[in-house]
Amino acid sequence: MKILVVNAGSSSLKYQLFDMTENRAIAKGNCERIGIDGAVTHKVPGREDYKATPSFPDHRAAIECVLGLLTDEKLGVISSVKEIAAVGHRFAHGGEKLRASAVLGADEIAYLESIVELNPLHGPPAISGFKACKEVMPDINHVGVFDTSYYSAMEEKAYIYPIPYELYEQYKIRRYGFHGTSHRFVAAKAAEMVGDKNAKIITCHLGNGSSITATVNGKAIDTSMGFTPQDGVPMGTRSGALDPTVPTYIMKKTGATPEETEKILNSKSGLLGVSGVSSDCRDVWAAAKAGNKRAKLAIDILVHNAKKIIGSYIAEMNGCDALVFTAGIGENDRAMRAAIAKDLSFLGIEMDEEANATCPSGEVADVSKKGAKVKTLVIPTNEEYMIALDTQNLTK
Ligand code: ADP
């Protein structure tokens, strides 16, 4: 069974074609500059990457190009589009109603259109991407997989904010949580490694965007991102959690509009804002090592806040069986992992420095000290595979 996974952004459309009998992607790529001019990169394992600059006036042109590449005599991996059994679409937001992955019909799309205000950046392009794919492949099932749905089992006390309840009822202001597909994938793998499907697990997805999630019995009970992906750990360019009056004070003092203030907190804060150097962790470490004090401070703030969240989740769960690191920083940045896991031995978290320093990027690794109460694990995330798996389960 072949499943196509599509992740549509405002000017991009990423794709992966999975062969589910082998549980692996047989081709993947990215269409970029949609609506501007057009560029595509198409990758097949064991072959040289193919790059071209076709014209992409819209998402439909991009998906037509993808299907052309997948079935191309030289560049392709399938002989006909008919080999694609179903398509899985990534959606950042499923609102309160789409609480699990679902085959997308008119009702689901109407609901997703009704909540674009909650998700103005990702919602409209993801819907356009779905519509384009449905037009080009009308006879097969299209499944939506929502980053938020992993959090649908959270209790009210974890998702209702302590503000007037009417604001939740009227505007749906609550914690939704994001990166759920990634947390679900790595938490399931960690439970398998711990050998207990009821395990208490903390997953740290640390990338350009970062979030930390607590999972018990395979269900997320709390997560650091909230109403938007702006909350929680400081990120590449996002502030993470703040005193709630900081934005309004910025507006009063600088005269910035709400949109300008959002931009400050979204695109000019985090590692970039504090260091003044870069949003990329590698650049910030390099500057810190060269003696840049603000770069060191930016890293210290990230570590400090990640530790605080981890500690609070151990308190919420009354224990922890595994602490997991994933995504760009979590999988690759050994120094960041060591700094976050340092001085947590009171809570049973003890890292084997040698194992952490030598574990190869891109592989699953147990980096905990022998006999440590909590396992510290590095698990590469694979959201696309999770989307393909849900799509297969819902359509086979
Ligand atoms: P996104 O949230 O955009 O998917 P990623 O998960 O790719 O982001 O993470 C990007 C972050 O990961 C950047 O801060 C980058 O510096 C960091 N990163 C990626 N590779 C490495 C590496 N080999 N060593 C250290 N940090 C890395």
Side-chain angles (χ1 to χ4, degrees):
M1 188 179 195
K2 309 259 183 352
I3 305 269
L4 181 64
V5 172
V6 170
N7 183 354
S10 57
S11 67
S12 71
L13 186 145
K14 294 193 186 114
Y15 62 94
Q16 290 202 22
L17 184 67
F18 283 86
D19 183 338
M20 299 309 283
T21 49
E22 297 177 22
N23 290 326
R24 69 179 184 98
I26 53 174
K28 64 175 156 185
N30 193 5
C31 299
E32 293 171 281
R33 301 180 62 82
I34 298 172
I36 305 165
D37 39 28
V40 64
T41 309
H42 175 70
K43 300 178 181 207
V44 174
R47 294 190 206 159
E48 209 169 291
D49 293 355
Y50 170 81
K51 286 179 196 266
T53 50
S55 164
F56 291 151
D58 52 26
H59 284 93
R60 180 168 174 148
I63 190 66
E64 280 173 345
C65 167
V66 170
L67 297 181
L69 287 168
L70 292 172
T71 54
D72 184 84
E73 235 172 65
K74 269 200 204 139
L75 305 166
V77 287
I78 50 175
S79 52
S80 154
V81 173
K82 292 204 174 92
E83 284 185 49
I84 300 173
V87 184
H89 298 264
R90 185 227 165 195
F91 283 86
H93 217 310
E96 288 203 302
K97 288 206 179 131
L98 291 167
R99 294 161 65 92
S101 302
V103 174
L104 297 172
D107 289 352
E108 286 74 20
I109 293 302
Y111 177 67
L112 287 169
E113 281 173 335
S114 77
I115 59 162
V116 290
E117 258 194 314
L118 292 176
N119 181 30
L121 287 183
H122 293 112
I127 294 168
S128 301
F130 156 77
K131 285 183 174 168
C133 290
K134 184 76 183 164
E135 271 171 34
V136 179
M137 293 171 277
D139 302 325
I140 55 175
N141 278 316
H142 292 252
V143 167
V145 178
F146 312 97
D147 284 8
T148 47
S149 68
Y150 187 49
Y151 306 106
S152 59
M154 276 196 312
E155 289 183 46
E156 281 181 309
K157 66 182 178 193
Y159 73 76
I160 296 290
Y161 289 124
I163 56 176
Y165 195 77
E166 296 72 23
L167 290 171
Y168 161 62
E169 291 179 313
Q170 200 170 348
Y171 302 114
K172 300 294 168 209
I173 299 171
R174 51 160 284 181
R175 181 182 304 282
Y176 289 99
F178 297 88
H179 288 149
T181 313
S182 171
H183 288 288
R184 179 156 62 105
F185 178 81
V186 295
K189 181 76 193 160
E192 201 184 297
M193 289 172 77
V194 168
D196 177 5
K197 64 177 177 24
N198 302 325
K200 296 169 177 173
I201 297 165
I202 297 176
T203 44
C204 305
H205 177 115
L206 306 176
N208 203 17
S210 299
S211 61
I212 302 183
T213 292
T215 293
V216 183
N217 296 336
K219 292 196 163 40
I221 61 145
D222 207 348
T223 189
S224 61
M225 282 179 168
F227 178 56
T228 69
Q230 173 69 33
D231 198 4
V233 204
M235 313 176 210
T237 61
R238 288 177 233 161
S239 63
L242 291 172
D243 179 323
T245 57
V246 169
T248 45
Y249 194 74
I250 292 174
M251 285 188 252
K252 284 180 201 157
K253 293 307 272 187
T254 68
T257 63
E259 291 72 25
E260 286 161 350
T261 309
E262 273 180 17
K263 196 162 181 204
I264 293 171
L265 301 176
N266 233 318
S267 319
K268 296 182 178 172
S269 296
L271 288 175
L272 173 68
V274 177
S275 72
V277 172
S278 168
S279 62
D280 190 299
C281 213
R282 288 166 288 199
D283 301 338
V284 183
W285 273 115
K289 279 180 191 145
N292 183 322
K293 288 209 172 89
R294 271 176 48 188
K296 181 176 179 307
L297 177 62
I299 298 215
D300 288 347
I301 294 173
L302 200 169
V303 170
H304 176 77
N305 282 279
K307 266 179 190 287
K308 272 207 308 206
I309 296 168
I310 291 167
S312 69
Y313 289 171
I314 294 181
E316 271 188 63
M317 297 192 293
N318 187 21
C320 179
D321 298 302
L323 173 69
V324 183
F325 289 97
T326 195
I329 296 172
E331 290 168 33
N332 298 297
D333 191 334
R334 297 164 174 87
M336 187 70 84
R337 287 197 303 257
I340 292 174
K342 192 168 174 257
D343 298 332
L344 294 176
S345 56
F346 175 75
L347 299 171
I349 296 168
E350 290 178 278
M351 195 180 250
D352 180 326
E353 281 175 31
E354 174 74 16
N356 179 52
T358 55
C359 83
S361 285
E363 285 181 25
V364 171
D366 181 345
V367 296
S368 29
K369 229 183 209 170
K370 246 198 184 140
K373 219 161 81 188
V374 179
K375 279 213 178 302
T376 304
L377 307 170
V378 180
I379 304 180
T381 192
N382 196 342
E383 292 158 88
E384 293 77 14
Y385 176 67
M386 200 79 235
I387 295 172
L389 207 58
D390 279 7
T391 304
Q392 181 186 37
N393 289 337
L394 281 164
T395 57
K396 73 180 169 195

